[in-house]
Amino acid sequence: MIKKLCLILLLLSSCCYSQEVNTDIREYKAFKEGTTYFVKSNDKKYNKIVNDILIKYWTVNKFEMITSNQVEKLKGESSFFVDQVEYSFSRTGGTTGALNMEYGVPKLAMFKEYKKGTPKGVMSLVQIDEMTPLEILCSIQQMQSQINFVFDLNTKKDLDIKDYLDEVNEKNKKRIQSKTLYVTRNGLKDEIDHEAGLKKVYNYKFIFTTRENIEKAIEDQNEDAVFLKVINYRNLKFVLFICAKNNELLYGRVMTGFNQQEIGPKFFKDINE
């Protein structure tokens, strides 16, 4: 596993960002002709992994890898920056403390500039579960897929995360029907963590498999494979269905109920509709 990035680690309160992607196409007017600058860490191994991924997969515009002290002089209409940040959220649940919540999640952020050490004009945030080569690939591809979706959507609205997911679901949900869901039993509620239970709520192809096989499908960019990812957003968790090829988001919904730790039948039923 790669060491935690030696980048500027930024503690961000929940009010800093209202969503995971800025969908206002006007914010991207110079993007395709511009350059995305990926900020290096002090970890040479990490920098090489990122550079190799970008060479192979980054297609939305030009890219360069830079040091953090170059950001200021490279600012401009056609300049976009990507760095790691730490998203932190805390909530006090009242006098009993029963609903207290506090966590931190590393995310990859695309932004226009730093303002007093904090990214300003954030355009995309992608959660990083582990600092491994595979997770770095996933996060970079997910960010690129978000950008492609913004151009496809072509709206002059900055949608919140719910409306953004509604747009994604409307455009991409049907594509899941022709693919195979790769899923592990871990993280599913008891009633669907076996083949007979999942068949009752999910009408399309699936296989129970290992995490290693899911990782291989991502490494192979298997267009037929779909996998599940859970992300944190403020005091909620979302379930995402992601295509192994290009790590493209095909479907996403908020997890419901008091226990937001396991995926229940509702999310699979919704896809059948």
Side-chain angles (χ1 to χ4, degrees), residues 7 11 92 103 127 134 138 142 145 157 198 253 269:
L7 300 174
L11 296 178
T92 302
Y103 66 82
Q127 182 170 309
L134 184 71
C138 288
Q142 286 165 20
S145 293
K157 294 181 179 180
L198 191 53
R253 282 294 187 215
K269 289 178 180 178

Side-chain angles (χ1 to χ4, degrees), residues 12-273:
L12 305 172
S13 66
S14 62
C15 62
C16 288
Y17 304 126
S18 61
Q19 65 223 2
E20 296 291 301
V21 58
N22 186 330
T23 59
D24 189 338
I25 193 66
R26 294 169 295 184
E27 299 296 323
Y28 297 79
K29 58 185 176 182
F31 185 83
K32 290 189 175 181
E33 296 76 29
T35 301
T36 300
Y37 297 98
F38 287 77
V39 181
K40 294 179 182 178
S41 80
N42 294 325
D43 187 333
K44 292 182 179 179
K45 182 179 178 182
Y46 164 81
N47 295 336
K48 184 180 186 311
I49 290 169
V50 171
N51 190 65
D52 289 347
I53 290 170
L54 294 174
I55 289 172
K56 189 171 183 179
Y57 296 108
W58 191 259
T59 60
V60 284
N61 67 357
K62 295 178 292 184
F63 75 88
E64 290 184 29
M65 295 193 67
I66 62 170
T67 59
S68 57
N69 59 14
Q70 292 179 278
V71 172
E72 188 65 26
K73 67 180 180 181
L74 290 170
K75 286 194 311 185
E77 185 65 32
S78 60
S79 297
F80 303 82
F81 303 95
V82 175
D83 199 352
Q84 189 200 22
V85 300
E86 179 85 1
Y87 175 97
S88 65
F89 176 81
S90 63
R91 180 189 66 185
T92 302
T95 56
T96 65
L99 296 177
N100 287 354
M101 184 178 293
E102 185 172 358
Y103 66 82
V105 179
K107 296 197 177 189
L108 207 61
M110 175 178 285
F111 55 95
K112 288 295 294 177
E113 62 178 300
Y114 280 128
K115 196 74 170 180
K116 295 182 179 180
T118 300
K120 182 178 174 63
V122 173
M123 302 173 69
S124 174
L125 281 171
V126 179
Q127 182 170 309
I128 307 174
D129 290 332
E130 297 178 273
M131 209 52 63
T132 64
L134 184 71
E135 273 294 312
I136 295 168
L137 168 63
C138 288
S139 62
I140 290 174
Q141 284 197 317
Q142 286 165 20
M143 181 172 283
Q144 179 165 255
S145 293
Q146 283 184 350
I147 294 165
N148 282 329
F149 187 83
V150 169
F151 276 97
D152 180 57
L153 189 62
N154 195 29
T155 181
K156 293 181 180 180
K157 294 181 179 180
D158 188 9
L159 303 176
D160 63 23
I161 189 168
K162 179 186 179 300
D163 290 337
Y164 168 68
L165 288 178
D166 285 345
E167 291 286 352
V168 171
N169 296 346
E170 182 179 345
K171 291 179 179 294
N172 290 339
K173 185 170 72 170
K174 288 187 181 299
R175 293 170 53 195
I176 297 173
Q177 299 175 8
S178 63
K179 301 184 185 297
T180 302
L181 174 65
Y182 285 43
V183 62
T184 66
R185 301 179 196 279
N186 186 37
L188 298 183
K189 289 190 174 180
D190 292 345
E191 60 264 41
I192 57 170
D193 69 352
H194 53 283
E195 187 169 344
L198 191 53
K199 275 185 176 180
K200 290 180 181 179
V201 297
Y202 188 66
N203 295 339
Y204 310 115
K205 292 183 293 183
F206 68 87
I207 56 171
F208 280 104
T209 187
T210 62
R211 178 177 174 178
E212 288 74 21
N213 284 339
I214 295 174
E215 291 175 349
K216 187 176 188 306
I218 297 170
E219 290 170 352
D220 294 344
Q221 296 286 283
N222 184 344
E223 191 169 6
D224 177 61
V226 177
F227 64 96
L228 303 177
K229 182 180 179 73
V230 177
I231 66 166
N232 296 279
Y233 180 76
R234 304 189 74 174
N235 64 327
L236 299 173
K237 290 180 182 289
F238 286 79
V239 182
L240 309 180
F241 285 69
I242 297 176
C243 185
K245 183 176 176 62
N246 296 327
N247 277 268
E248 183 182 4
L249 176 61
L250 301 183
Y251 180 83
R253 282 294 187 215
V254 66
M255 297 178 77
T256 57
F258 182 78
N259 181 3
Q260 294 181 5
Q261 301 305 315
E262 295 181 318
I263 302 172
K266 176 175 172 50
F267 306 101
F268 299 97
K269 289 178 180 178
D270 285 349
I271 292 179
N272 295 331
E273 295 178 357

